[in-house]
Amino acid sequence: MITKIMDVSEEPINMEYIREASEILKSGGLVAFPTETVYGLGGDATDKEASRKIYAAKGRPSDNPLIVHIAKFSQLEDITENLPKTAKLLADAFWPGPLTMVCNKNQVIPYETTGGLDTVAVRMPNNPVALALIEESGCMIAAPSANTSGRPSPTKASHVYEDLSGKIEAILDGGAVDIGLESTIVDLTEDVVTILRPGFINMDMLREVVGEVRMDPGIVYNDKGTTSGARPKAPGMRYKHYAPKGDLTIISGEEDTVVGKINQLTREALKEGKKVGIIATSETADRYPEGEVLVIGNRSDESSIAHNLYDILRRFDELSVDLIYSESFATPKMGQAIMNRLLKAAGQKTIEV
């Protein structure tokens, strides 16, 4: 299979490419497309075979549910039952945008799309290419991130091509994404809105809309950067994700001690003949005299850290590093989301100093 790349990065959107991609979806094929979070690997959410193709292309565990992407609120009502009033409140506040709601499903969406669950995860992306594709195809689009399962999520079309070339029919290249981290996921099937995956929309923002909100215990991190050990409700959260090829370790603590520890570990690894990568901020990069130092962003603009995270991890793959040491990022608004992804990429491997 030859994967066609279609450039839709310029305005107005090339609707010929959108129509071509729509025909692929309607015929049961797969198309990668940009959203405001990461690139998604899309198939018709109501088509069992299309969902099976998504799992196969990614090498994704079949009990890991896919998120259904829609273009209007009525589509959420069409595929769910017992929809709570909080769904409309949250949609009015955050859709289109990086919020996924987990609701009780009806028979429209097959179990192949929901990973065998009686719930369905749904969001309305805030990206003109994604919305045009949904509307033109007439499909609700099931779309996980468009990468090989376990690898860093794709924030550019080139990342998608690297992982999935020859496995999918087409990639809509909309340029680099805006946010760079996957959507916040909230569970609306219980009495209290529960965050299953942190993202750009944080707990304080949700509380302003619906009042009480809690965090699933499986993703609550203690001071050492590890979870309580409770089993997360979302099946996909059992698996290691976002991992670079090099062995990643997160160093947490006060800045001076973190920098000192990373420099010590780097010196020791270099003596052993290892190639070392370091994830630093613009505030600390010049304090690392050795190793391959990449700047992820700056702490005064935490969105820059989120935006660059996956690209940084993939750049270390290109540099063929053996080990990666990263500072910890306990930033006020997106820190929970950034650390959620970074800890998964490290397989929870941390050092507290």
Side-chain angles (χ1 to χ4, degrees):
M1 180 187 299
I2 296 176
T3 300
K4 182 174 182 178
I5 300 177
M6 308 178 189
D7 188 350
V8 289
S9 60
E10 301 293 330
E11 294 184 1
I13 297 171
N14 186 326
M15 288 305 296
E16 285 299 318
Y17 283 154
I18 296 295
R19 283 188 281 272
E20 186 175 345
S22 297
E23 290 303 317
I24 293 171
L25 291 176
K26 288 190 282 188
S27 65
L30 305 183
V31 176
F33 61 96
T35 75
E36 77 280 27
T37 57
V38 299
Y39 273 75
L41 175 57
D44 182 350
T46 65
D47 184 339
K48 298 177 182 180
E49 289 305 317
S51 291
R52 290 190 180 109
K53 288 179 183 178
I54 292 172
Y55 285 110
K58 283 178 60 69
R60 182 182 176 97
S62 61
D63 65 343
N64 194 349
L66 309 178
I67 293 176
V68 177
H69 291 63
I70 62 174
K72 49 191 176 184
F73 185 80
S74 61
Q75 291 175 307
L76 176 65
E77 297 173 312
D78 291 341
I79 62 176
T80 58
E81 57 183 27
N82 302 320
L83 192 65
K85 294 179 181 179
T86 49
K88 186 65 166 64
L89 293 173
L90 289 169
D92 288 344
F94 300 117
W95 278 4
L99 179 70
T100 296
M101 304 185 208
V102 174
C103 308
N104 292 307
K105 70 183 282 297
N106 60 21
Q107 74 282 359
V108 174
I109 301 297
Y111 285 112
E112 285 79 2
T113 299
T114 66
L117 298 177
D118 289 317
T119 54
V120 60
V122 187
R123 89 176 188 96
M124 186 186 298
N126 188 17
N127 179 283
V129 173
L131 292 172
L133 182 63
I134 298 166
E135 292 171 352
E136 181 67 28
S137 68
C139 299
M140 291 174 282
I141 301 178
S145 55
N147 59 313
T148 301
S149 189
R151 295 272 291 126
S153 296
T155 57
K156 301 175 181 178
S158 60
H159 298 163
V160 181
Y161 191 81
E162 178 185 350
D163 282 11
L164 300 179
S165 175
K167 298 180 181 179
I168 65 176
E169 283 80 356
I171 301 169
L172 289 171
D173 182 355
V177 303
D178 293 331
I179 295 176
L181 289 184
E182 296 83 355
S183 60
T184 304
I185 299 179
V186 293
D187 182 5
L188 304 188
T189 64
E190 297 189 2
D191 293 338
V192 178
V193 174
T194 303
I195 299 174
L196 301 182
R197 181 176 72 188
F200 179 83
I201 296 170
N202 59 36
M203 182 176 284
D204 289 340
M205 296 164 70
L206 293 167
R207 282 175 171 163
E208 287 181 7
V209 177
V210 297
E212 186 180 1
V213 178
R214 66 188 176 198
M215 191 79 71
D216 185 277
I219 57 169
V220 175
Y221 300 96
N222 59 31
D223 292 339
K224 295 184 178 180
T226 56
T227 69
S228 64
R231 181 180 181 273
K233 291 180 63 176
M237 303 180 86
R238 290 207 307 267
Y239 302 103
K240 185 178 181 180
H241 286 299
Y242 325 121
K245 295 173 183 176
D247 187 22
L248 172 63
T249 302
I250 302 163
I251 316 299
S252 61
E254 296 298 322
E255 180 179 304
D256 288 346
T257 53
V258 166
V259 171
K261 184 65 174 179
I262 289 176
N263 281 328
Q264 174 203 330
L265 292 169
T266 299
R267 286 192 298 271
E268 292 171 355
L270 291 173
K271 286 180 181 179
E272 295 174 0
K274 301 287 180 66
K275 190 172 184 180
V276 179
I278 298 171
I279 299 177
T281 62
S282 57
E283 293 92 339
T284 59
D286 61 359
R287 301 182 67 185
Y288 298 110
E290 299 177 284
E292 298 285 350
V293 182
L294 295 183
V295 175
I296 194 171
N298 60 76
R299 292 184 185 273
S300 62
D301 178 16
E302 58 189 289
S303 63
S304 67
I305 296 173
H307 180 79
N308 293 323
L309 174 60
Y310 294 138
D311 189 51
I312 287 282
L313 295 178
R314 285 180 176 267
R315 284 169 63 190
F316 277 127
D317 286 349
E318 294 171 6
L319 292 169
S320 300
V321 299
D322 302 299
L323 303 171
I324 303 169
Y325 297 115
S326 176
E327 300 173 4
S328 180
F329 303 105
T331 54
K333 293 181 180 179
M334 293 188 69
Q336 185 80 29
I338 293 166
M339 290 307 298
N340 172 268
R341 308 313 194 272
L342 199 55
L343 283 162
K344 280 183 173 293
Q348 307 289 328
K349 191 174 180 182
T350 64
I351 297 174
E352 176 78 15
V353 293

